Every structure is written in structure tokens, then in C-alpha cells.
Amino acid sequence: MPAKDEIIALRIIYNEQYKDRPMLIDGLKKLYEKLKTKGVTVERLWDCYAIKQPEKVKRGAMAQLTDLVAMVRFEMGYTDNLAPFADRVNYNFMQWTLSRNAGAVHFTDEQMEWLRLIKDHIISSLSIEPDDLELNPFDRKGGLGRFYEVFGDSYEEILHEMNIELVA
């Protein structure tokens, strides 16, 4: 079983600024590696919750490391139901884009394409940094330079807002 301080460290993921999440993600990866040495995987943990509390557990298409965060949140009572982390981010993305598009400025098709890619990155990594836009799949679309062209001076604000709103 994970050490109590490792679980406590995971509890603070959502209390940290998104810029500090990479350090916490490393801790999450170390915890997961320790669990795997004991034969415990995200999939097996998820199955155990599904057996124990089937009315509260939603099946996901694919278990990811970030789903460990969903399990910790559920175990600590931050949420009443256990659902894949991707479901939470997708729902928050939908709400965020609807609220942003409700105003005078609407996202263009190209902007929405970028935002969907960023959402997918956040699902697997918990956050996005400007440097991440130089990596695959963003580099195929022109990387950080093209992102800046598409969003202008508000590009950092968009990333910051997505880091907060999608993971909230």
C-alpha cells in the first residue's frame, strides 16, 4: 500500500498552482511505479472499486495514470462518484468553451482545433505549459509560434485558464 504521506501529497494536487503540477506528477508516477511493483495497476484498482461500489463507478474506455488522481479524489471524499479523469476534463472543457463563446468573442474553427488538442494533452498530463506546444502533436501545427499567431497576446492567458478550468 502507498505510504500515508504519498496519499497526502496527492491530495494537494488540486490545491497547487498548475505551474507546480509537474513536480506533483512526478510524485504520482513514483507512487504508481511503487504500486506496480506490488502488482497493483490503475485498471485493477478501478475494477476493485467497480466491484465494491458499482453504483458509484463509471467505466472508462482506457485507464490512464491520471485516473489514479480520480481515485484519490474519490477516496478522499472530494467527489461522490468515480469517473475517469478524461470525463471530468471533457465536461469542464465543454462548460468552459460554452461560457467563453457566450460573449462577444467566439473561438474560430482553428482556435477550437488547438483548444481540443490542449484539452487532450491535459487529460494525459494534468496541465499544459507553453513549452509543451513544441512537442507532438502541436509541432505539426506550427508549435508555439503558430499558437501565438492564432491567439495573439492572450495565448498565455488561454493556457493558464485552461489549466485551471479543465482540471477544477
Side-chain angles (χ1 to χ4, degrees):
M1 278 315 263
K4 183 179 176 185
D5 12 331
E6 290 171 319
I7 294 296
I8 291 169
L10 289 173
R11 286 179 69 180
I12 65 172
I13 284 176
Y14 291 95
N15 295 330
E16 292 294 322
Q17 295 293 325
Y18 77 91
K19 65 181 176 52
D20 297 327
R21 286 192 186 141
M23 177 185 69
L24 295 168
I25 292 168
D26 287 343
L28 182 64
K29 288 177 182 174
K30 288 176 186 167
L31 171 62
Y32 187 57
E33 289 304 315
K34 191 181 268 188
L35 289 171
K36 284 192 329 189
T37 64
K38 306 285 187 199
V40 179
T41 64
V42 169
E43 294 87 354
R44 289 182 76 186
L45 282 171
W46 205 272
D47 289 343
C48 290
Y49 276 106
I51 291 167
K52 188 175 176 186
Q53 301 178 56
E55 71 285 353
K56 292 186 175 189
V57 178
K58 180 179 179 194
R59 288 289 182 180
M62 178 177 90
Q64 298 187 43
L65 178 63
T66 52
D67 288 330
L68 188 55
V69 173
M71 284 184 261
V72 170
R73 289 178 55 79
F74 178 70
E75 188 63 33
M76 297 301 171
Y78 293 133
T79 181
D80 293 331
N81 296 304
L82 180 58
F85 183 74
D87 287 5
R88 176 190 176 106
V89 173
N90 283 321
Y91 176 79
N92 289 348
F93 178 75
M94 180 187 69
Q95 295 297 324
W96 179 74
T97 55
L98 286 173
S99 70
R100 289 291 303 245
N101 280 329
V105 178
H106 296 271
F107 292 125
T108 67
D109 289 342
E110 184 177 10
Q111 287 174 328
M112 283 303 298
E113 192 175 332
W114 275 96
L115 296 176
R116 283 186 201 95
L117 289 173
I118 291 168
K119 171 193 59 92
D120 292 342
H121 182 84
I122 289 173
I123 286 172
S124 63
S125 303
L126 287 178
S127 65
I128 183 111
E129 297 290 327
D131 290 346
D132 295 337
L133 296 174
E134 296 298 345
L135 305 173
N136 189 18
F138 308 108
D139 61 342
R140 293 188 308 228
K141 299 189 66 49
L144 180 58
R146 181 65 188 150
F147 186 76
Y148 176 78
E149 290 173 8
V150 171
F151 286 95
D153 291 336
S154 64
Y155 83 98
E156 286 180 303
E157 176 188 328
I158 292 287
L159 292 177
H160 177 75
E161 197 172 319
M162 289 183 79
N163 275 310
I164 292 169
E165 297 297 325
L166 272 55
V167 180

